[in-house]
Amino acid sequence: GAGVSQTPSNKVTEKGKYVELRCDPISGHTALYWYRQSLGQGPEFLIYFQGTGAADDSGLPNDRFFAVRPEGSVSTLKIQRTERGDSAVYLCASSPGTSGGKSGELFFGEGSRLTVL
Amino acid sequence: SQKIEQNSEALNIQEGKTATLTCNYTNYSPAYLQWYRQDPGRGPVFLLLIRENEKEKRKERLKVTFDTTLKQSLFHITASQPADSATYLCALDLYNTDKLIFGTGTRLQVFP
């Protein structure tokens, strides 16, 4: 497809379970971002990849959260021992430039809605 | 502390009027400022980018201003239409990082 693809679109899990969320960016985009958005709030930065490496992971809330991008394309956000407070929409975005947002816009996917019961 | 503030209350206006949304920030030094539109259940969509040395940017019915002294951006939609109803997010692109910092967004409702 032409846009950023995120799967699953919805995920319901139980407290304490492990979850993986996948992001397939626009082909050729070198920068990839993960954000988290709670109801009524703006997107909150989690982590940014430039190619395969995490250039900035300062937004990850704790060590239960981890993200990878092994081949510089698809990325997976992994959440261990989920808690009810992890419930949110997880947004992925990609950007074509080597300098991320400063090259212009971010292209967002539709998000993965995570509900932890 | 660092903050980006957008009016949390919804803005309700009549079709045909100009909508003006405000983005104020404190303790940030942005190189750029971006505006996004977000519809319910969808991801944000980019609208406009303005650089710190630009006072104003226009695109069709949209106009953005950026005052680095006041630390404020104004986003205007002229001749508003019901289809403009959405949440509008401002985002700061800082000098020392490649991540965007988003405000909380303002919901705009345009009534026929």
Side-chain angles (χ1 to χ4, degrees):
Chain A
V4 176
S5 176
Q6 291 189 246
T7 54
S9 55
N10 276 287
K11 176 70 177 179
V12 180
T13 191
E14 292 179 343
K15 181 175 177 295
K17 298 291 188 183
Y18 170 80
V19 165
E20 287 190 354
L21 306 175
R22 175 189 165 108
C23 174
D24 200 340
I26 293 172
S27 177
H29 280 194
T30 58
L32 185 145
Y33 300 77
W34 284 100
Y35 284 82
R36 177 169 71 174
Q37 188 173 29
S38 300
L39 191 63
Q41 300 297 314
E44 174 194 14
F45 172 79
L46 296 176
I47 187 170
Y48 155 59
F49 288 89
Q50 186 58 253
T52 60
D56 185 343
D57 65 357
S58 62
L60 295 177
N62 50 59
D63 61 5
R64 295 187 298 105
F65 289 74
F66 190 71
V68 295
R69 194 186 186 199
E71 297 178 357
S73 178
V74 171
S75 176
T76 304
L77 178 66
K78 309 180 181 199
I79 310 173
Q80 298 178 319
R81 304 183 304 280
T82 51
E83 299 177 357
R84 292 195 180 88
D86 299 335
S87 297
V89 175
Y90 289 81
L91 293 165
C92 177
S94 69
S95 177
T98 55
S99 56
K102 291 184 182 61
S103 71
E105 65 198 89
L106 296 190
F107 296 80
F108 281 87
E110 303 290 41
S112 292
R113 179 177 297 277
L114 175 65
T115 302
V116 182
L117 301 176
Chain B
S1 62
Q2 296 176 315
K3 286 191 297 186
I4 304 172
E5 293 180 312
Q6 295 185 256
N7 195 335
S8 58
E9 293 192 10
L11 178 63
N12 299 312
I13 65 167
Q14 191 173 20
E15 181 177 13
K17 302 291 186 184
T18 296
T20 298
L21 287 72
T22 304
C23 176
N24 294 297
Y25 60 92
T26 54
N27 295 322
Y28 281 115
S29 296
Y32 304 91
L33 190 146
Q34 300 187 24
W35 282 88
Y36 287 77
R37 169 185 172 139
Q38 187 172 28
D39 291 284
R42 310 294 296 272
V45 174
F46 172 81
L47 296 174
L48 280 170
L49 176 153
I50 187 165
R51 293 173 172 77
E52 65 149 355
N53 60 353
E54 296 178 314
K55 296 293 186 188
E56 183 179 297
K57 198 83 168 277
R58 291 175 185 261
K59 179 182 175 183
E60 298 172 351
R61 294 185 296 112
L62 308 180
K63 184 178 86 171
V64 172
T65 63
F66 192 13
D67 188 326
T68 55
T69 301
L70 291 178
K71 296 187 183 300
Q72 180 181 77
S73 175
L74 298 178
F75 177 80
H76 306 272
I77 306 175
T78 58
S80 59
Q81 305 166 0
D84 295 328
S85 298
T87 294
Y88 291 85
L89 298 156
C90 71
L92 303 185
D93 189 351
L94 308 177
Y95 274 108
N96 58 349
T97 178
D98 286 327
K99 64 190 179 193
L100 288 185
I101 312 294
F102 282 86
T104 54
T106 297
R107 185 171 172 224
L108 172 67
Q109 190 81 32
V110 181
F111 292 96

